Amino acid sequence: MRSYDERLDHLVAQAARVFADKGYHSTTMRDLAAATGMSLAGMYYYVRGKEGLLELIQERCFTRVLEGAQAAVAAAGDPLDRVQALIRHHVAFFASHMPEMKVLSHEASALSGDGRRRVNAIKRRYVDLLEGLLRDAAPDEPAAERSAAAYALFGMMNWIYNWYDPAGPLDSQRLGDLMARLFIGGFAEARTLQGG
């Protein structure tokens, strides 16, 4: 018999797949029960309802990607190496969590109240981490441009759920390396053009 944590992990993973396929608003608790093999009462043991499950998916996913990025950045060297480490981690994490990425991207506004505030606080910490890395890498860059660069990078990385095939010819490590080269090279080139 699976432990509480294993059953919860199973519920969260299956719910993310259903939300990614059907959309949050079109999904019913009965759909989730069928996908997870759990009874409605069994699911309510873990969450208060569909929004509670969406909150759990988003909160757990953002927490895990933030903690992993912090560890990757801490192990890296100079400022650009730290940016590259965050990019590699982000791409690798979401390449193995594609349904969660789609849910995070499409259902951000479906949460309300305290759940939305908690998730947004974690997201803000993640954005702040990247903006801090960009400030270290380009201290003379205006804050507004660093912020825009951070969101442009997240846009590039987060869009992979639309086209990337983890079983295809490009593994997630190579994809992360490619995105890091594109972003870091482009960021450096944009700074050179502006200053030149």
Side-chain angles (χ1 to χ4, degrees):
M1 186 170 195
R2 288 189 286 194
S3 70
Y4 176 93
D5 288 341
E6 288 172 328
R7 288 191 302 271
L8 182 60
D9 288 344
H10 172 74
L11 173 60
V12 168
Q14 293 304 315
R17 284 186 182 85
V18 175
F19 288 155
D21 290 342
K22 292 188 69 157
Y24 170 74
H25 294 291
S26 299
T27 300
T28 66
M29 287 298 281
R30 290 192 188 282
D31 294 331
L32 296 169
T36 60
M38 298 173 78
S39 67
L40 288 172
M43 286 193 302
Y44 283 115
Y45 177 72
Y46 294 97
V47 294
R48 294 179 310 278
K50 191 171 78 165
E51 186 172 338
L53 191 48
L54 179 63
E55 178 187 338
L56 190 58
I57 291 167
Q58 292 196 21
E59 189 171 356
R60 287 175 62 145
C61 199
F62 277 120
T63 298
R64 288 174 62 200
V65 76
L66 172 62
E67 289 173 351
Q70 288 168 328
V73 165
D78 68 34
L80 288 178
D81 287 341
R82 292 194 290 275
V83 172
Q84 186 173 33
L86 183 141
I87 294 170
R88 285 178 173 159
H89 174 266
H90 186 101
V91 170
F93 180 87
F94 281 114
S96 62
H97 297 87
M98 298 284 265
E100 289 89 338
M101 173 179 268
K102 185 173 182 182
V103 170
L104 297 182
S105 297
H106 283 268
E107 309 298 352
S109 63
L111 291 178
S112 60
D114 289 340
R116 187 176 197 159
R117 282 188 287 279
R118 277 193 297 276
V119 169
N120 283 343
I122 301 166
K123 287 164 65 173
R124 183 72 250 168
R125 288 174 53 209
Y126 194 36
V127 171
D128 288 347
L129 173 63
L130 177 55
E131 287 185 0
L133 296 175
L134 296 179
R135 184 179 55 248
D136 292 344
D140 296 332
E141 193 77 21
E145 291 184 21
R146 282 195 308 266
S147 182
Y151 282 106
L153 175 57
F154 281 129
M156 179 171 66
M157 295 187 298
N158 292 347
W159 197 248
I160 67 170
Y161 75 85
N162 274 304
W163 59 268
Y164 177 63
D165 179 5
L170 191 64
D171 65 36
S172 64
Q173 181 177 343
R174 286 175 52 211
L175 178 60
D177 287 343
L178 173 63
M179 287 191 171
R181 286 196 315 272
L182 289 171
F183 177 76
I184 291 170
F187 188 59
E189 181 65 20
R191 288 165 51 213
T192 301
L193 290 174
Q194 181 184 14

